[in-house]
Amino acid sequence: MTQNRTTRLERGRSALGPALELVHTGRAPTRAVLTAELGVTRATAGAVAAELEALGLIQVDSRPTAAAGSQGRPSHRLSIAPRGPVVLAAQIHADGFRAALVGLGGRLVATAPGCMTVPADPARVIDAVVEAGAGLLRESGRRCLGAGLAVPSAVAEPEGTALNPIHVAWAAGAPVRDLFAESLAKAGVPGPGNVPTAGFTGNDVNLTALAEHRHGAGRGARHLLCVATGHRGVGGALVLDGRLHTGSSGLALEVGHIPVNPDGRACHCGSRGCLDIEADPLAFLTAAGRVPGPEGSLLQQSRDLLRGEYGDPAVRAAADLLIDRLGLGLAGLVNILNPDRIILGGLHRELLDADPERLRAVVADRSLWGRSGGVPILPCTLDHHSLVGAAELAWQPVLDDPLGALG
Ligand SMILES: [Zn+2]
């Protein structure tokens, strides 16, 4: 009897993480769906939901209601606890930084942008973004369970160093993970157990892909390829069966350095005509004959130009040129990776919106797997997806073991 009870409790505990992940990613809106997804009895699913509610992570609607128009038995609705814990998310980009508090479900609770010329000393901007985040935490009064940082560079594993921060002025190999941990300790940002958190650090486009896979346009894809511009440059990422594919040392999917224009401009990587400099916001402005202005990031300026002046033949021609280059790069990736979905972020999302048929035609025409099947190409749907992805890194220990992280 005692043994049976212990076994049941252990089984219940091992289901807490998967159950929380289902609610977190919106895949279990009701207790009935949770029961089916977990493959457990209704009693076990009820106990698991009650435990997550007791931990302050989710809310179980006490009065079961049937979904509108449904014939099925009414079920308790599950949602993220509205005043539940948050994590601190931070992003550094070519034009400054942004701090945010992010709840479960990928929800932005509060955010604070900061504009600055990113200093050559990464400690200064990391301190600034962590201080901004710590300020948001104080104002909100919410419990903090960790922190994540998105940087515009590949992050080498296991060292946690920024290997190619070419669009910010940092030296290659800047120890961003250690610097983030020092800033978090200085600001007293807590993690699970209320002790200072060391935080997690990742590449911004990797984190975009992770966020979109869990909460956005990548949901349900098994081989998700993400390609996106930041404020400068182009990055890529692959999510395989729900996990980021980062390669043997964190450096996989450096898609920005695929050559798409053999006679193109010299790239900072030493090659020529890379996607990174031939299909980013600066390349678009230049191709349209525009000189970047002082107001707004290059990404914002190129977005405004594409949306506002698409009727201008020079803007249209620049968009066509970048779509063709992007399509060429995507076709090469489709041949190598055989993704079941491609999602595009930053300026690439805007280019897809401007002329989806042209981009899809280039990819289909130039790729073997594209010709034989046609890979869906979709725009990213989340605002601030790198921040949401940075938060996912911080949420992961809680998703893996809610009781261990909060108990
Ligand atoms: Zn390059």
Side-chain angles (χ1 to χ4, degrees):
M1 191 67 191
T2 311
Q3 198 182 359
N4 272 348
R5 192 166 172 275
T6 310
T7 314
R8 206 159 58 228
L9 280 175
E10 277 168 2
R11 207 181 303 135
R13 177 166 180 173
S14 68
L16 283 177
L20 183 59
E21 185 164 330
L22 286 165
V23 180
H24 172 60
T25 53
R27 286 178 293 153
T30 65
R31 216 168 70 181
V33 177
L34 182 69
T35 306
E37 288 285 332
L38 289 176
V40 297
T41 63
R42 274 187 19 200
T44 302
V48 164
E51 180 71 40
L52 291 174
E53 188 174 39
L55 289 169
L57 296 171
I58 72 166
Q59 200 169 36
V60 183
D61 186 356
S62 55
R63 287 173 308 152
T65 46
S70 100
Q71 302 292 317
R73 181 197 190 110
S75 181
H76 297 271
R77 294 202 67 79
L78 306 177
S79 54
I80 302 302
R83 291 284 305 164
V86 294
V87 296
L88 189 161
Q91 181 185 8
I92 293 166
H93 51 70
D95 302 304
F97 63 81
R98 185 178 283 271
L101 305 183
V102 184
L104 281 167
R107 284 185 201 162
L108 254 73
V109 169
T111 171
C115 227
M116 68 194 291
T117 304
V118 176
D121 175 6
R124 283 178 51 207
V125 64
I126 292 175
D127 272 351
V129 71
V130 168
E131 276 166 26
L136 293 174
L137 270 176
R138 282 191 296 275
E139 283 165 29
S140 78
R142 305 273 281 263
R143 181 176 181 188
C144 178
L145 290 180
L149 169 68
V151 293
S153 163
V155 177
E157 299 291 348
E159 301 86 352
T161 50
L163 214 68
N164 57 345
I166 44 189
H167 298 297
V168 285
W170 304 343
V176 284
R177 181 176 302 151
D178 290 348
L179 293 171
F180 188 45
E182 283 168 26
S183 296
L184 291 167
K186 262 189 284 184
V189 175
N194 274 331
V195 293
T197 181
F200 296 86
T201 305
N203 165 262
D204 50 7
V205 177
N206 275 354
L207 298 179
T208 289
L210 188 61
E212 290 284 342
H213 185 268
R214 292 188 176 176
H215 306 292
R219 264 191 198 161
R222 294 196 57 200
H223 296 254
L224 178 69
L225 171 66
C226 173
V227 174
T229 70
H231 287 220
R232 295 286 304 273
V234 174
L238 186 67
V239 181
L240 285 179
D241 290 323
R243 299 278 162 179
L244 266 176
H245 172 74
T246 53
S248 60
S249 56
L251 310 178
L253 276 295
E254 276 297 299
V255 308
H257 300 285
I258 291 178
V260 291
N261 181 12
D263 301 320
R265 283 169 291 172
C267 180
H268 13 254
C269 73
S271 183
R272 188 168 282 281
C274 297
L275 201 57
D276 202 73
I277 51 162
E278 298 284 348
D280 85 336
L282 182 60
F284 175 62
L285 292 169
T286 308
R290 305 301 173 102
V291 179
E295 290 299 312
S297 67
L298 293 175
L299 177 58
Q300 192 56 49
Q301 290 181 42
S302 56
R303 192 181 271 153
D304 291 347
L305 183 62
L306 190 56
R307 285 184 186 172
E309 297 181 51
Y310 192 55
D312 178 334
V315 174
R316 180 73 189 256
D320 287 352
L321 180 69
L322 261 77
I323 287 171
D324 292 351
R325 289 174 180 166
L326 173 62
L328 203 56
L330 291 179
L333 291 165
V334 165
N335 286 342
I336 295 167
L337 300 170
N338 185 210
D340 61 354
R341 196 178 306 169
I342 299 172
I343 55 170
L344 302 178
L347 178 63
H348 294 166
R349 162 186 166 163
E350 308 290 330
L351 291 168
L352 174 66
D353 284 346
D355 196 344
E357 293 319 309
R358 187 181 184 102
L359 182 62
R360 289 183 182 123
V362 177
V363 175
D365 190 45
R366 298 289 193 129
S367 65
L368 186 56
W369 313 127
R371 256 201 304 281
S372 59
V375 190
I377 305 176
L378 304 173
C380 287
T381 55
L382 301 176
D383 292 328
H384 303 306
H385 33 42
S386 294
L387 277 172
V388 174
E392 290 301 321
L393 294 182
W395 279 119
Q396 196 59 53
V398 182
L399 296 170
D400 290 341
D401 182 7
L403 204 56
L406 279 100

